[in-house]
Amino acid sequence: MPTALLMALILSSQALKDVTPVRTEVVTPIHQDSFNKGGKAKNRRQGGNPRVVDGNFIFDGSSDGDRQVDPQIAVGGGFVLHGTNGGIVIYGKDGNYVDGVPQREFHDGIDPKLFFDPHNRVFGFDLWVYWDKAKIKPVNISISETSDPRGAWNTFAVPSPQEVDGGAIGYSRKWIAYSFPGGPEETFVMKMAEVKAGKPATVYHFAGSLGEPAYTQDRVDDLVFVKLTDTEIILTTVGEAKDGSPVVKKVVSAPHHFEHFGWPPESPMKGTKLKTASGDRNPKNLVIQGHFLWFSQAVNVNGRAGVQWHQVRLDGKFVQSGLLADPLNSYIQTSVAVNKHNDLLVGFQETGPDMFISGRCAWRKGSDKIGSLRPTIKLGEGLAATKGGAWGDYSGSVVDGDNLTDLWTIQSAATAKGTGGTVIARIRP
């Protein structure tokens, strides 16, 4: 690395280390005794139909959305929690519908990101409201009080009046974090113990953006935030200061040497000249597992959208990377899940001039040849072309929070109306 660049990275790291919040506020939660508010909440019934396809367990998720469904899942406590821009649904792990409500029952919002925290045994998700009359534009952070999502929940409406788009959520054993675009303060952190207990919680706001927070499956207290520049990967660690507040403890940077890093082009579909959005080169989820960082990204591969996936040490050095690409079709909207054995699942969607948008995934054992994935699994076939343009912003892939072994993914597949149907699958490496 050139000396000038090395010195710049060192100075940047020194400048960010020991960074503290610039502002705090206390937010009182909106409490509800049960997911469906004692049966008073409006019911949302979607999905189900469990089945086995080619040896893999699959069932349907929501299918009532437009072409921006934004599907996510979280798994734990014996349940699968499913979120879209239409609402939140609970399934049993057997794929059968349990309960569902529209998002307005959780103080409203869109762009959900879901997780199950295996350390504290709670579910969590965010919803962002940008149309409220008061122009507070709250980020609604909802946390279950137990591992049973049918039980009590607390929602913390954190004002974010300068937010311009949905953000990213992450957690560790001690903290929960949210980062978003817009304004001078783009990252906030809360204590998991406070939000789980349903007490008024202190929100710690940081200047600028620390990056996208990771899902920290390792049993550690600190948070890790990740940024990608054109040339480097930057990992920022946030932990607890002596006074109990969060503080930036460490920043490391390293060159990423990505084989492909161009923004993915729009992708073709059968029977139309319209093209669909392919996602972007920024990761849609990040996982800390086995003291490694794992993520995937949609990128430009010879003029078509493809998927790169990566395993990175926490000092920023890459362990392995892999590429999913095709000479005809495009691979879009990717996410990853990793289990305690370092087995990896890469979820994505496939589309092309002779097919419609369809759900896919591929996986590898931790002991497999470096950089390799096993053959692609077809989860659900698209039935029609969309109206082109936006096609959601992400898919979802997670580890089973009960056994930390099974891998789950939710992917979109275009319905016969060209809208966003979803399929949920469990993969057992």
Side-chain angles (χ1 to χ4, degrees):
M1 181 185 298
T3 301
L5 176 58
L6 178 60
M7 289 303 298
L9 292 175
I10 291 172
L11 290 172
S12 175
S13 297
Q14 290 173 342
L16 284 173
K17 188 177 179 182
D18 297 328
V19 167
T20 57
V22 296
R23 180 173 64 90
T24 64
E25 62 182 319
V26 176
V27 176
T28 299
I30 302 164
H31 176 79
Q32 54 195 71
D33 289 331
S34 68
F35 176 82
N36 65 5
K37 297 181 177 178
K40 297 180 180 179
K42 183 176 181 179
N43 182 253
R44 183 171 189 270
R45 182 173 289 272
Q46 287 283 309
N49 185 29
R51 55 203 183 270
V52 175
V53 178
D54 296 330
N56 298 302
F57 177 67
I58 292 174
F59 62 97
D60 298 323
S62 297
S63 60
D64 66 339
D66 60 14
R67 63 187 190 277
Q68 288 190 274
V69 178
D70 291 347
Q72 292 277 279
I73 54 170
V75 181
F79 297 93
V80 177
L81 188 68
H82 166 37
T84 67
N85 282 331
I88 311 297
V89 178
I90 301 171
Y91 305 98
K93 285 190 185 178
D94 59 5
N96 288 309
Y97 172 90
V98 174
D99 204 352
V101 299
Q103 65 269 49
R104 66 173 176 268
E105 302 293 353
F106 281 88
H107 208 52
D108 220 340
I110 59 168
D111 290 349
K113 274 74 61 183
L114 277 64
F115 67 84
F116 180 81
D117 172 2
H119 316 301
N120 295 283
R121 305 290 299 168
V122 294
F123 286 94
F125 63 87
D126 67 277
L127 290 169
W128 174 53
V129 181
Y130 62 85
W131 57 83
D132 61 311
K133 292 181 180 179
K135 301 300 181 183
I136 294 173
K137 297 169 68 174
V139 175
N140 296 313
I141 305 292
S142 296
I143 305 293
S144 64
E145 290 189 358
T146 71
S147 63
D148 187 340
R150 300 170 299 179
W153 286 78
N154 294 287
T155 297
F156 297 82
V158 181
S160 60
Q162 298 189 69
E163 184 169 353
V164 298
D165 202 354
I169 200 166
Y171 69 88
S172 68
R173 189 163 59 172
K174 180 163 284 189
W175 304 98
I176 183 171
Y178 184 82
S179 287
F180 58 91
E185 301 165 4
E186 297 182 312
T187 298
F188 65 76
V189 172
M190 305 168 74
K191 290 185 176 180
M192 185 66 79
E194 290 183 350
V195 297
K196 179 181 178 181
K199 298 178 180 179
T202 300
V203 182
Y204 301 88
H205 295 269
F206 285 84
S209 175
L210 300 180
E212 182 175 343
Y215 289 11
T216 307
Q217 296 173 189
D218 289 344
R219 291 186 60 80
V220 296
D221 292 340
D222 294 348
L223 290 161
V224 175
F225 296 80
V226 180
K227 286 183 180 180
L228 297 177
T229 73
D230 286 343
T231 55
E232 284 89 39
I233 183 171
I234 303 170
L235 286 76
T236 299
T237 300
V238 171
E240 190 171 33
K242 292 181 179 180
D243 65 358
S245 65
V247 61
V248 173
K249 296 169 62 176
K250 182 174 63 174
V251 180
V252 297
S253 303
H256 52 61
H257 300 305
F258 287 146
E259 180 181 0
H260 305 280
F261 197 50
W263 295 89
E266 290 188 321
S267 298
M269 297 174 286
K270 181 180 177 180
T272 179
K273 293 182 179 180
L274 298 174
K275 293 186 177 182
T276 185
S278 302
D280 64 54
R281 69 184 189 181
N282 293 309
K284 292 306 180 183
N285 73 321
L286 300 145
V287 177
I288 304 293
Q289 175 62 57
H291 304 291
F292 297 104
L293 168 70
W294 306 77
F295 66 93
S296 61
Q297 54 185 166
V299 291
N300 189 323
V301 182
N302 301 322
R304 284 174 297 280
V307 168
Q308 285 183 155
W309 61 269
H310 312 280
Q311 178 187 8
V312 187
R313 287 174 20 180
L314 297 184
D315 61 2
K317 295 181 180 178
F318 280 67
V319 176
Q320 61 174 328
S321 297
L323 179 66
L324 285 162
D326 186 85
L328 181 65
N329 291 339
S330 299
Y331 298 145
I332 66 176
Q333 307 294 5
T334 180
S335 55
V336 299
V338 190
N339 68 15
K340 65 183 179 182
H341 306 296
N342 287 346
D343 303 329
L344 169 73
L345 178 146
V346 181
F348 58 99
Q349 291 144 51
E350 181 179 9
T351 184
D354 298 317
M355 65 175 294
F356 307 117
I357 300 173
S358 303
R360 302 286 187 258
C361 72
W363 62 274
R364 57 173 277 116
K365 296 281 285 185
S367 58
D368 285 351
K369 181 181 177 182
I370 192 168
S372 67
L373 290 173
R374 299 192 182 192
T376 295
I377 298 172
K378 295 181 178 181
L379 304 176
E381 298 307 299
L383 300 176
T386 76
K387 295 179 181 179
W391 177 251
D393 293 317
Y394 39 83
S395 64
S397 299
V398 296
V399 71
D400 190 312
D402 294 329
N403 58 33
L404 298 179
T405 300
D406 293 345
L407 301 172
W408 295 75
T409 191
I410 181 168
Q411 300 297 326
S412 295
T415 68
K417 296 181 180 180
T419 58
T422 57
V423 60
I424 298 167
R426 180 192 65 207
I427 306 298
R428 287 179 164 164

